[in-house]
Coordinates of all heavy atoms in Angstrom, one line a residue:
M98 N 0.8 -1.2 0.0 CA -0.1 0.0 0.0 C 0.8 1.2 0.0 O 0.5 2.3 -0.6 CB -0.9 0.0 1.2 CG -1.9 1.1 1.2 SD -3.1 1.1 -0.2 CE -4.6 0.6 0.7
T99 N 2.0 1.2 0.6 CA 2.9 2.3 0.6 C 3.4 2.7 -0.8 O 3.4 3.9 -1.0 CB 4.2 2.0 1.4 OG1 3.8 1.6 2.7 CG2 5.1 3.2 1.6
W100 N 3.6 1.7 -1.6 CA 4.0 2.0 -3.0 C 2.9 2.7 -3.8 O 3.2 3.6 -4.7 CB 4.4 0.8 -3.7 CG 5.7 0.3 -3.2 CD1 5.9 -0.8 -2.4 CD2 7.0 0.9 -3.5 NE1 7.3 -1.0 -2.2 CE2 7.9 0.0 -2.7 CE3 7.5 2.0 -4.1 CZ2 9.3 0.3 -2.7 CZ3 8.7 2.3 -4.1 CH2 9.7 1.4 -3.4
H101 N 1.6 2.5 -3.5 CA 0.5 3.2 -4.1 C 0.5 4.6 -3.7 O 0.3 5.5 -4.6 CB -0.9 2.5 -3.7 CG -1.1 1.2 -4.2 ND1 -1.4 0.2 -3.4 CD2 -1.0 0.6 -5.5 CE1 -1.5 -0.9 -4.1 NE2 -1.2 -0.6 -5.4
W102 N 0.7 4.9 -2.4 CA 0.8 6.3 -2.1 C 2.0 7.0 -2.7 O 1.9 8.2 -3.1 CB 0.9 6.4 -0.5 CG -0.4 6.0 0.1 CD1 -0.7 4.9 0.8 CD2 -1.4 6.9 0.3 NE1 -1.9 4.9 1.3 CE2 -2.5 6.2 1.1 CE3 -1.8 8.2 -0.1 CZ2 -3.7 6.6 1.4 CZ3 -3.0 8.6 0.3 CH2 -4.0 7.9 0.9
I103 N 3.1 6.3 -2.8 CA 4.3 7.0 -3.4 C 4.1 7.2 -4.8 O 4.4 8.3 -5.4 CB 5.6 6.1 -3.1 CG1 5.9 6.0 -1.7 CG2 6.8 6.5 -4.0 CD1 7.0 5.0 -1.3
G104 N 3.5 6.3 -5.6 CA 3.3 6.4 -7.0 C 2.2 7.5 -7.2 O 2.4 8.3 -8.1
L105 N 1.2 7.6 -6.4 CA 0.2 8.7 -6.5 C 0.9 10.0 -6.3 O 0.6 11.0 -7.1 CB -1.0 8.5 -5.5 CG -2.0 9.5 -5.5 CD1 -2.8 9.5 -6.8 CD2 -3.0 9.3 -4.3
A106 N 1.7 10.1 -5.3 CA 2.3 11.5 -5.0 C 3.2 11.8 -6.1 O 3.2 12.9 -6.7 CB 3.0 11.4 -3.7
L107 N 4.0 10.9 -6.6 CA 5.0 11.1 -7.7 C 4.3 11.6 -8.9 O 4.6 12.6 -9.6 CB 5.9 9.9 -7.8 CG 6.9 10.0 -9.0 CD1 8.0 11.1 -8.6 CD2 7.5 8.7 -9.3
F108 N 3.4 10.8 -9.4 CA 2.7 11.0 -10.7 C 1.7 12.2 -10.6 O 1.4 12.8 -11.6 CB 2.1 9.8 -11.2 CG 3.0 8.8 -11.7 CD1 3.1 7.5 -11.0 CD2 3.9 9.0 -12.6 CE1 4.0 6.6 -11.3 CE2 4.9 8.1 -13.0 CZ 4.9 6.8 -12.3
S109 N 1.2 12.6 -9.4 CA 0.3 13.7 -9.3 C 1.1 15.0 -9.3 O 0.6 16.1 -9.7 CB -0.5 13.6 -8.0 OG -1.4 12.5 -8.1
L110 N 2.3 14.9 -8.7 CA 3.1 16.2 -8.7 C 4.1 16.4 -9.8 O 4.5 17.5 -9.9 CB 4.0 16.1 -7.4 CG 3.1 16.2 -6.0 CD1 4.1 16.0 -4.8 CD2 2.4 17.5 -5.9
T111 N 4.1 15.4 -10.7 CA 5.0 15.5 -11.9 C 4.6 16.7 -12.7 O 5.4 17.6 -13.2 CB 5.1 14.2 -12.6 OG1 5.6 13.3 -11.8 CG2 5.9 14.4 -13.9
P112 N 3.3 16.8 -13.2 CA 2.9 18.0 -14.1 C 2.7 19.3 -13.4 O 2.5 20.3 -14.0 CB 1.6 17.5 -14.7 CG 1.0 16.6 -13.7 CD 2.2 15.9 -13.0
F113 N 2.7 19.3 -12.1 CA 2.4 20.5 -11.3 C 3.3 21.7 -11.7 O 2.8 22.8 -11.9 CB 2.4 20.2 -9.8 CG 1.8 21.2 -9.0 CD1 0.5 21.5 -9.1 CD2 2.6 22.0 -8.0 CE1 -0.1 22.5 -8.3 CE2 2.0 22.9 -7.3 CZ 0.7 23.2 -7.4
P114 N 4.7 21.5 -11.7 CA 5.4 22.7 -12.1 C 5.1 23.3 -13.5 O 5.2 24.5 -13.7 CB 6.9 22.2 -12.1 CG 6.8 21.1 -11.1 CD 5.4 20.4 -11.4
A115 N 4.9 22.3 -14.5 CA 4.5 22.8 -15.8 C 3.2 23.6 -15.9 O 3.0 24.6 -16.5 CB 4.5 21.6 -16.8
D116 N 2.3 23.1 -15.0 CA 0.9 23.8 -15.0 C 1.1 25.1 -14.3 O 0.5 26.1 -14.8 CB 0.0 22.9 -14.1 CG -0.4 21.5 -14.8 OD1 -0.3 21.6 -16.1 OD2 -0.8 20.7 -14.1
L117 N 1.8 25.2 -13.3 CA 2.0 26.6 -12.6 C 2.7 27.5 -13.6 O 2.5 28.7 -13.6 CB 2.9 26.3 -11.3 CG 2.1 25.8 -10.1 CD1 3.0 25.6 -9.0 CD2 0.9 26.6 -9.8
A118 N 3.7 27.0 -14.3 CA 4.4 27.9 -15.3 C 3.4 28.3 -16.4 O 3.4 29.5 -16.8 CB 5.5 27.1 -15.9
M119 N 2.5 27.5 -16.8 CA 1.6 28.0 -17.8 C 0.5 28.9 -17.1 O 0.1 29.9 -17.9 CB 0.8 26.7 -18.3 CG 1.7 25.9 -19.2 SD 0.8 24.4 -19.8 CE -0.4 25.0 -20.9
I120 N 0.1 28.7 -16.0 CA -0.9 29.6 -15.4 C -0.2 31.0 -15.1 O -0.9 32.0 -15.3 CB -1.3 29.0 -14.0 CG1 -2.2 27.7 -14.3 CG2 -2.1 30.0 -13.1 CD1 -2.5 27.0 -13.0
T121 N 1.0 31.0 -14.7 CA 1.7 32.4 -14.5 C 2.2 33.0 -15.8 O 2.6 34.1 -15.8 CB 2.9 32.2 -13.6 OG1 3.8 31.3 -14.1 CG2 2.4 31.8 -12.1
G122 N 2.2 32.3 -16.9 CA 2.6 32.8 -18.2 C 4.1 32.6 -18.5 O 4.6 33.3 -19.4
R123 N 4.8 31.9 -17.7 CA 6.2 31.8 -17.8 C 6.5 30.5 -18.7 O 6.9 29.5 -18.1 CB 6.9 31.6 -16.5 CG 6.8 32.8 -15.7 CD 7.4 32.6 -14.4 NE 7.2 33.9 -13.6 CZ 7.7 34.1 -12.4 NH1 8.4 33.1 -11.8 NH2 7.5 35.1 -11.7
I124 N 6.4 30.6 -19.9 CA 6.8 29.5 -20.9 C 7.7 30.0 -21.9 O 7.8 31.3 -22.2 CB 5.5 28.9 -21.6 CG1 4.8 29.9 -22.4 CG2 4.6 28.3 -20.5 CD1 3.7 29.3 -23.2
P125 N 8.5 29.2 -22.6 CA 9.4 29.6 -23.6 C 8.7 30.4 -24.7 O 7.6 30.0 -25.0 CB 10.1 28.3 -24.0 CG 9.9 27.4 -22.9 CD 8.7 27.7 -22.3
E126 N 9.4 31.3 -25.3 CA 8.8 32.0 -26.5 C 8.5 31.1 -27.6 O 7.5 31.4 -28.3 CB 9.8 33.1 -26.9 CG 10.0 34.3 -25.9 CD 8.6 35.0 -25.8 OE1 7.9 35.2 -26.7 OE2 8.4 35.5 -24.6
R127 N 9.3 30.1 -27.9 CA 9.0 29.2 -29.0 C 7.7 28.4 -28.8 O 7.1 27.9 -29.8 CB 10.2 28.3 -29.3 CG 10.4 27.4 -28.1 CD 11.6 26.6 -28.3 NE 11.8 25.8 -27.0 CZ 12.5 24.8 -26.8 NH1 13.2 24.4 -27.9 NH2 12.7 24.3 -25.7
L128 N 7.2 28.2 -27.6 CA 5.9 27.5 -27.3 C 4.7 28.4 -27.3 O 3.6 27.9 -27.3 CB 6.1 26.7 -26.1 CG 7.1 25.6 -26.0 CD1 7.1 24.9 -24.7 CD2 6.7 24.5 -27.1
R129 N 5.0 29.6 -27.2 CA 3.9 30.6 -27.1 C 2.9 30.5 -28.2 O 1.7 30.8 -28.1 CB 4.3 32.0 -26.9 CG 4.9 32.2 -25.5 CD 5.1 33.7 -25.2 NE 5.6 33.8 -23.9 CZ 5.0 34.0 -22.8 NH1 3.7 33.9 -22.8 NH2 5.7 34.1 -21.7
T130 N 3.3 30.3 -29.5 CA 2.5 30.3 -30.7 C 1.6 29.0 -30.6 O 0.5 29.1 -31.1 CB 3.3 30.3 -31.9 OG1 4.2 29.3 -31.9 CG2 4.1 31.7 -32.1
R131 N 2.1 27.9 -30.1 CA 1.4 26.7 -30.1 C 0.4 26.6 -28.9 O -0.6 26.0 -29.0 CB 2.3 25.5 -30.0 CG 3.1 25.3 -31.3 CD 3.7 24.0 -31.4 NE 4.4 23.6 -30.2 CZ 5.1 22.5 -30.0 NH1 5.2 21.7 -31.0 NH2 5.8 22.3 -28.9
L132 N 0.8 27.4 -27.8 CA -0.1 27.3 -26.6 C -0.7 28.7 -26.4 O -0.4 29.3 -25.3 CB 0.8 26.9 -25.4 CG 1.5 25.5 -25.5 CD1 2.4 25.3 -24.3 CD2 0.5 24.4 -25.4
T133 N -1.4 29.2 -27.3 CA -1.8 30.6 -27.3 C -2.6 30.9 -26.0 O -2.2 31.8 -25.3 CB -2.7 31.0 -28.6 OG1 -3.6 29.9 -28.8 CG2 -1.7 31.1 -29.7
P134 N -3.6 30.2 -25.6 CA -4.2 30.6 -24.3 C -3.5 29.8 -23.3 O -4.1 28.9 -22.7 CB -5.7 30.2 -24.5 CG -5.7 29.1 -25.4 CD -4.4 29.3 -26.3
T135 N -2.3 30.3 -22.8 CA -1.6 29.5 -21.9 C -2.2 29.4 -20.5 O -2.2 28.3 -19.9 CB -0.1 30.1 -21.7 OG1 -0.3 31.4 -21.3 CG2 0.6 29.9 -23.0
R136 N -2.7 30.4 -20.0 CA -3.3 30.4 -18.6 C -4.5 29.4 -18.6 O -4.7 28.7 -17.7 CB -3.6 31.7 -18.1 CG -2.4 32.5 -17.9 CD -2.6 33.8 -17.1 NE -1.5 34.4 -16.7 CZ -0.9 35.5 -17.1 NH1 -1.6 36.3 -17.9 NH2 0.2 35.9 -16.7
T137 N -5.3 29.6 -19.7 CA -6.5 28.7 -19.8 C -6.1 27.2 -19.8 O -6.6 26.3 -19.2 CB -7.3 29.1 -21.0 OG1 -7.6 30.5 -21.0 CG2 -8.6 28.4 -21.0
R138 N -5.1 27.0 -20.6 CA -4.6 25.6 -20.8 C -4.0 25.1 -19.5 O -4.1 23.9 -19.1 CB -3.7 25.4 -21.9 CG -4.5 25.5 -23.2 CD -3.6 25.0 -24.3 NE -4.4 25.2 -25.5 CZ -4.1 24.9 -26.7 NH1 -2.8 24.3 -26.9 NH2 -4.7 25.0 -27.8
G139 N -3.3 25.9 -18.8 CA -2.7 25.6 -17.5 C -3.8 25.1 -16.5 O -3.6 24.2 -15.8
W140 N -4.8 25.9 -16.4 CA -5.9 25.6 -15.5 C -6.6 24.3 -15.9 O -7.0 23.5 -15.0 CB -7.0 26.7 -15.3 CG -6.4 27.9 -14.5 CD1 -6.1 29.1 -15.0 CD2 -6.2 27.9 -13.2 NE1 -5.7 29.9 -13.9 CE2 -5.8 29.1 -12.8 CE3 -6.4 26.9 -12.1 CZ2 -5.4 29.5 -11.4 CZ3 -6.1 27.3 -10.8 CH2 -5.6 28.6 -10.5
A141 N -6.8 24.1 -17.1 CA -7.5 22.9 -17.7 C -6.7 21.7 -17.3 O -7.2 20.7 -16.9 CB -7.7 23.0 -19.2
V142 N -5.4 21.7 -17.6 CA -4.5 20.5 -17.4 C -4.4 20.3 -15.9 O -4.4 19.1 -15.5 CB -3.1 20.8 -18.0 CG1 -2.1 19.7 -17.6 CG2 -3.2 20.8 -19.5
L143 N -4.3 21.4 -15.1 CA -4.3 21.2 -13.6 C -5.6 20.6 -13.1 O -5.5 19.6 -12.3 CB -4.1 22.6 -12.9 CG -3.9 22.5 -11.5 CD1 -2.6 21.8 -11.1 CD2 -3.8 24.0 -10.9
A144 N -6.7 20.9 -13.7 CA -8.0 20.3 -13.3 C -8.0 18.8 -13.7 O -8.5 18.0 -12.9 CB -9.1 21.1 -13.9
L145 N -7.5 18.5 -14.9 CA -7.5 17.1 -15.3 C -6.7 16.3 -14.5 O -6.9 15.1 -14.2 CB -7.2 17.1 -16.8 CG -8.3 17.6 -17.7 CD1 -7.8 17.7 -19.2 CD2 -9.5 16.8 -17.6
Y146 N -5.5 16.8 -14.0 CA -4.6 16.0 -13.3 C -5.1 15.9 -11.8 O -4.6 15.1 -11.1 CB -3.1 16.5 -13.3 CG -2.4 15.9 -14.5 CD1 -2.2 16.6 -15.7 CD2 -1.9 14.6 -14.5 CE1 -1.5 16.1 -16.8 CE2 -1.2 14.1 -15.5 CZ -1.0 14.9 -16.7 OH -0.4 14.3 -17.7
A147 N -5.8 16.8 -11.3 CA -6.4 16.8 -10.0 C -7.4 15.6 -9.8 O -7.6 15.3 -8.7 CB -7.0 18.1 -9.7
V148 N -7.8 15.0 -11.0 CA -8.8 14.0 -10.8 C -8.2 12.7 -10.2 O -8.9 12.0 -9.4 CB -9.4 13.7 -12.2 CG1 -10.2 12.5 -12.2 CG2 -10.2 14.9 -12.7
A149 N -6.9 12.5 -10.5 CA -6.3 11.3 -10.1 C -6.2 11.2 -8.5 O -6.7 10.2 -7.9 CB -4.9 11.2 -10.6
P150 N -5.8 12.2 -7.8 CA -5.8 12.1 -6.4 C -7.2 12.1 -5.7 O -7.5 11.5 -4.8 CB -5.1 13.4 -5.8 CG -4.4 13.9 -7.0 CD -4.9 13.4 -8.2
L151 N -8.2 12.9 -6.5 CA -9.5 12.9 -5.9 C -10.1 11.5 -6.0 O -10.9 11.1 -5.2 CB -10.3 13.9 -6.7 CG -10.2 15.4 -6.3 CD1 -11.0 16.2 -7.3 CD2 -10.8 15.6 -5.0
N152 N -9.7 10.7 -7.0 CA -10.3 9.4 -7.2 C -9.5 8.4 -6.2 O -10.1 7.5 -5.6 CB -10.2 8.9 -8.5 CG -11.5 8.9 -9.2 OD1 -12.6 8.8 -8.5 ND2 -11.6 8.9 -10.5
A153 N -8.3 8.5 -6.2 CA -7.3 7.5 -5.6 C -7.4 7.5 -4.0 O -7.4 6.5 -3.4 CB -6.0 7.5 -6.1
I154 N -7.2 8.7 -3.5 CA -7.1 8.9 -2.1 C -8.3 8.3 -1.2 O -8.0 7.5 -0.4 CB -6.7 10.3 -1.6 CG1 -5.4 10.7 -2.1 CG2 -6.9 10.5 -0.2 CD1 -5.1 12.1 -2.0
P155 N -9.5 8.6 -1.6 CA -10.6 7.9 -0.9 C -10.7 6.4 -1.1 O -11.0 5.7 -0.2 CB -11.9 8.6 -1.4 CG -11.4 9.9 -2.0 CD -10.0 9.6 -2.4
R156 N -10.3 6.0 -2.1 CA -10.3 4.5 -2.5 C -9.3 3.8 -1.6 O -9.5 2.7 -1.0 CB -10.0 4.2 -4.0 CG -11.2 4.6 -4.8 CD -11.0 4.3 -6.2 NE -11.9 5.0 -7.1 CZ -13.1 4.5 -7.3 NH1 -13.6 3.4 -6.8 NH2 -13.9 5.2 -8.2
M157 N -8.1 4.4 -1.4 CA -7.0 3.9 -0.6 C -7.4 3.9 0.9 O -7.0 3.1 1.6 CB -5.7 4.5 -0.9 CG -5.1 4.0 -2.2 SD -3.4 4.5 -2.3 CE -3.6 6.0 -3.3
A158 N -8.2 5.0 1.3 CA -8.6 5.2 2.7 C -9.7 4.2 3.0 O -9.7 3.6 4.1 CB -9.1 6.6 2.9
G159 N -10.5 3.8 2.1 CA -11.5 2.7 2.3 C -12.9 3.1 2.7 O -13.7 2.2 2.9
S160 N -13.3 4.3 2.8 CA -14.7 4.6 3.2 C -15.6 4.7 2.0 O -15.3 5.5 1.0 CB -14.7 6.0 3.9 OG -16.0 6.4 4.1
P161 N -16.7 3.9 1.9 CA -17.4 3.8 0.6 C -18.2 5.2 0.4 O -18.3 5.5 -0.7 CB -18.5 2.8 0.9 CG -17.9 1.9 1.9 CD -17.0 2.8 2.8
A162 N -18.8 5.8 1.5 CA -19.4 7.0 1.3 C -18.5 8.2 0.7 O -18.8 8.9 -0.1 CB -20.1 7.5 2.5
T163 N -17.3 8.2 1.3 CA -16.3 9.2 0.9 C -15.9 9.0 -0.5 O -15.7 9.8 -1.3 CB -15.1 9.3 1.8 OG1 -15.7 9.4 3.2 CG2 -14.2 10.4 1.6
T164 N -15.7 7.7 -0.8 CA -15.3 7.3 -2.2 C -16.3 7.8 -3.3 O -16.0 8.3 -4.2 CB -15.1 5.8 -2.4 OG1 -14.1 5.4 -1.4 CG2 -14.6 5.4 -3.7
L165 N -17.6 7.5 -3.0 CA -18.7 8.0 -3.8 C -18.7 9.4 -4.0 O -18.7 10.0 -5.2 CB -20.0 7.5 -3.4 CG -21.2 7.8 -4.2 CD1 -21.0 7.0 -5.5 CD2 -22.5 7.3 -3.5
A166 N -18.5 10.2 -2.9 CA -18.6 11.7 -3.0 C -17.3 12.2 -3.7 O -17.5 13.1 -4.6 CB -18.7 12.3 -1.5
A167 N -16.2 11.6 -3.5 CA -15.0 12.1 -4.1 C -15.0 11.8 -5.6 O -14.5 12.5 -6.4 CB -13.8 11.5 -3.5
T168 N -15.6 10.6 -6.0 CA -15.7 10.3 -7.4 C -16.6 11.2 -8.2 O -16.3 11.6 -9.2 CB -16.2 8.9 -7.5 OG1 -15.3 7.9 -6.9 CG2 -16.2 8.4 -9.0
A169 N -17.7 11.7 -7.4 CA -18.6 12.6 -8.1 C -17.9 14.0 -8.2 O -18.0 14.6 -9.3 CB -19.8 12.7 -7.2
V170 N -17.1 14.3 -7.2 CA -16.5 15.7 -7.3 C -15.3 15.5 -8.4 O -15.2 16.4 -9.2 CB -15.8 16.0 -6.0 CG1 -14.8 17.2 -6.1 CG2 -16.9 16.4 -4.9
A171 N -14.7 14.4 -8.6 CA -13.7 14.2 -9.6 C -14.3 14.3 -10.9 O -13.7 14.8 -11.9 CB -12.9 12.9 -9.3
G172 N -15.5 13.7 -11.1 CA -16.1 13.9 -12.4 C -16.4 15.2 -12.8 O -16.3 15.6 -13.9
I173 N -16.9 16.0 -11.8 CA -17.2 17.4 -12.1 C -16.0 18.2 -12.5 O -16.0 19.0 -13.3 CB -18.0 18.0 -10.8 CG1 -19.3 17.4 -10.7 CG2 -18.0 19.6 -10.9 CD1 -20.0 17.8 -9.4
V174 N -14.9 17.9 -11.7 CA -13.6 18.6 -11.9 C -13.1 18.2 -13.4 O -12.6 19.0 -14.1 CB -12.6 18.3 -10.9 CG1 -11.2 18.7 -11.2 CG2 -13.0 18.9 -9.5
A175 N -13.3 17.0 -13.7 CA -12.8 16.5 -15.1 C -13.6 17.2 -16.2 O -13.0 17.6 -17.2 CB -12.9 14.9 -15.2
V176 N -14.9 17.2 -16.1 CA -15.7 17.8 -17.1 C -15.4 19.3 -17.1 O -15.3 19.9 -18.2 CB -17.2 17.6 -16.7 CG1 -18.1 18.5 -17.6 CG2 -17.6 16.2 -17.0
T177 N -15.1 20.0 -16.0 CA -14.8 21.4 -16.0 C -13.4 21.6 -16.7 O -13.3 22.6 -17.5 CB -14.7 21.9 -14.6 OG1 -16.0 21.7 -13.9 CG2 -14.3 23.4 -14.5
G178 N -12.5 20.8 -16.4 CA -11.2 20.9 -17.1 C -11.3 20.7 -18.6 O -10.7 21.3 -19.4
C179 N -12.1 19.8 -19.1 CA -12.4 19.5 -20.5 C -13.1 20.8 -21.2 O -12.7 21.1 -22.3 CB -13.2 18.3 -20.7 SG -12.4 16.8 -20.3
V180 N -14.0 21.3 -20.5 CA -14.7 22.5 -21.0 C -13.8 23.6 -21.1 O -13.8 24.3 -22.1 CB -16.0 22.8 -20.1 CG1 -16.6 24.2 -20.5 CG2 -17.1 21.7 -20.3
V181 N -13.0 23.9 -20.1 CA -12.0 24.9 -20.1 C -11.0 24.8 -21.2 O -10.6 25.7 -21.9 CB -11.4 25.1 -18.6 CG1 -10.2 26.1 -18.7 CG2 -12.4 25.6 -17.7
A182 N -10.7 23.6 -21.5 CA -9.7 23.3 -22.6 C -10.3 23.5 -23.9 O -9.7 23.8 -24.8 CB -9.1 21.9 -22.4
A183 N -11.6 23.2 -24.0 CA -12.3 23.2 -25.3 C -12.8 24.7 -25.7 O -12.9 25.0 -26.9 CB -13.5 22.3 -25.3
I184 N -13.0 25.5 -24.8 CA -13.5 26.8 -25.0 C -12.6 27.6 -26.1 O -13.1 28.2 -27.1 CB -13.8 27.6 -23.8 CG1 -15.1 27.0 -23.1 CG2 -14.0 29.1 -24.0 CD1 -15.4 27.6 -21.8
P185 N -11.2 27.7 -25.8 CA -10.4 28.4 -26.7 C -10.4 27.9 -28.2 O -10.4 28.6 -29.1 CB -9.0 28.4 -26.1 CG -9.2 28.1 -24.7 CD -10.5 27.3 -24.6
A186 N -10.5 26.5 -28.3 CA -10.5 25.9 -29.6 C -11.8 26.2 -30.3 O -11.9 26.4 -31.5 CB -10.3 24.4 -29.4
L187 N -13.0 26.2 -29.6 CA -14.1 26.6 -30.1 C -14.2 28.1 -30.6 O -14.8 28.4 -31.7 CB -15.3 26.3 -29.2 CG -15.6 24.8 -28.9 CD1 -16.6 24.7 -27.8 CD2 -16.0 24.1 -30.2
R188 N -13.6 28.9 -29.9 CA -13.5 30.3 -30.2 C -12.7 30.5 -31.5 O -13.2 31.3 -32.4 CB -13.0 31.2 -29.1 CG -13.9 31.3 -27.9 CD -13.3 32.3 -26.9 NE -14.1 32.4 -25.8 CZ -13.8 33.0 -24.7 NH1 -12.6 33.4 -24.4 NH2 -14.7 33.1 -23.7
T189 N -11.6 29.9 -31.7 CA -10.8 30.0 -32.9 C -11.5 29.4 -34.1 O -11.4 29.8 -35.1 CB -9.4 29.4 -32.7 OG1 -9.5 28.1 -32.3 CG2 -8.6 30.1 -31.7
A190 N -12.2 28.3 -33.8 CA -13.0 27.6 -35.0 C -14.1 28.5 -35.4 O -14.4 28.6 -36.6 CB -13.5 26.3 -34.5
N191 N -14.7 29.3 -34.5 CA -15.8 30.2 -34.9 C -15.3 31.4 -35.7 O -16.1 31.9 -36.4 CB -16.7 30.5 -33.7 CG -17.5 29.4 -33.2 OD1 -17.8 28.4 -33.9 ND2 -17.9 29.4 -32.0
T192 N -14.1 31.8 -35.3 CA -13.6 33.0 -35.9 C -13.1 32.8 -37.3 O -12.9 33.6 -38.1 CB -12.6 33.7 -35.1 OG1 -11.5 32.9 -34.8 CG2 -13.3 34.3 -33.8
A193 N -12.7 31.6 -37.6 CA -12.0 31.2 -38.9 C -13.0 31.1 -39.9 O -14.1 31.0 -39.9 CB -11.1 30.0 -38.6

């Protein structure tokens, strides 16, 4: 069980510095053209990666009611992240 916690912490924190860099706007100039709405994408990716701990921590803790509630919250967070990621793409598709 210890390895599960270590793996969860490692893989949940791996994208965190990149997400924070995108949210604050500190990305290399060569990537700015491909990642035009950088702050929006940073929040979207952060929301999508937050789903893993929201799903895994209650399952490892073992409470069924908490697991159900956390899974519902994780679903809402995942849908929100997908919508936030899709809005800029939809805006550019409508203007073209």
Side-chain angles (χ1 to χ4, degrees):
M98 186 65 109
T99 304
W100 289 107
H101 291 129
W102 287 102
I103 292 169
L105 178 66
L107 179 69
F108 291 116
S109 295
L110 294 176
T111 300
F113 193 65
D116 294 338
L117 286 180
M119 288 176 70
I120 290 169
T121 58
R123 296 180 180 180
I124 59 171
E126 289 295 325
R127 63 185 171 165
L128 293 177
R129 287 194 184 271
T130 57
R131 292 192 315 183
L132 302 172
T133 47
T135 56
R136 290 194 170 117
T137 307
R138 288 194 182 182
W140 284 111
V142 172
L143 187 63
L145 290 172
Y146 274 102
V148 172
L151 279 173
N152 253 338
I154 290 174
R156 290 180 194 278
M157 286 191 266
S160 171
T163 308
T164 301
L165 182 63
T168 300
V170 170
I173 292 169
V174 170
V176 168
T177 304
C179 290
V180 168
V181 168
I184 288 174
L187 291 174
R188 285 185 183 168
T189 55
N191 289 338
T192 59

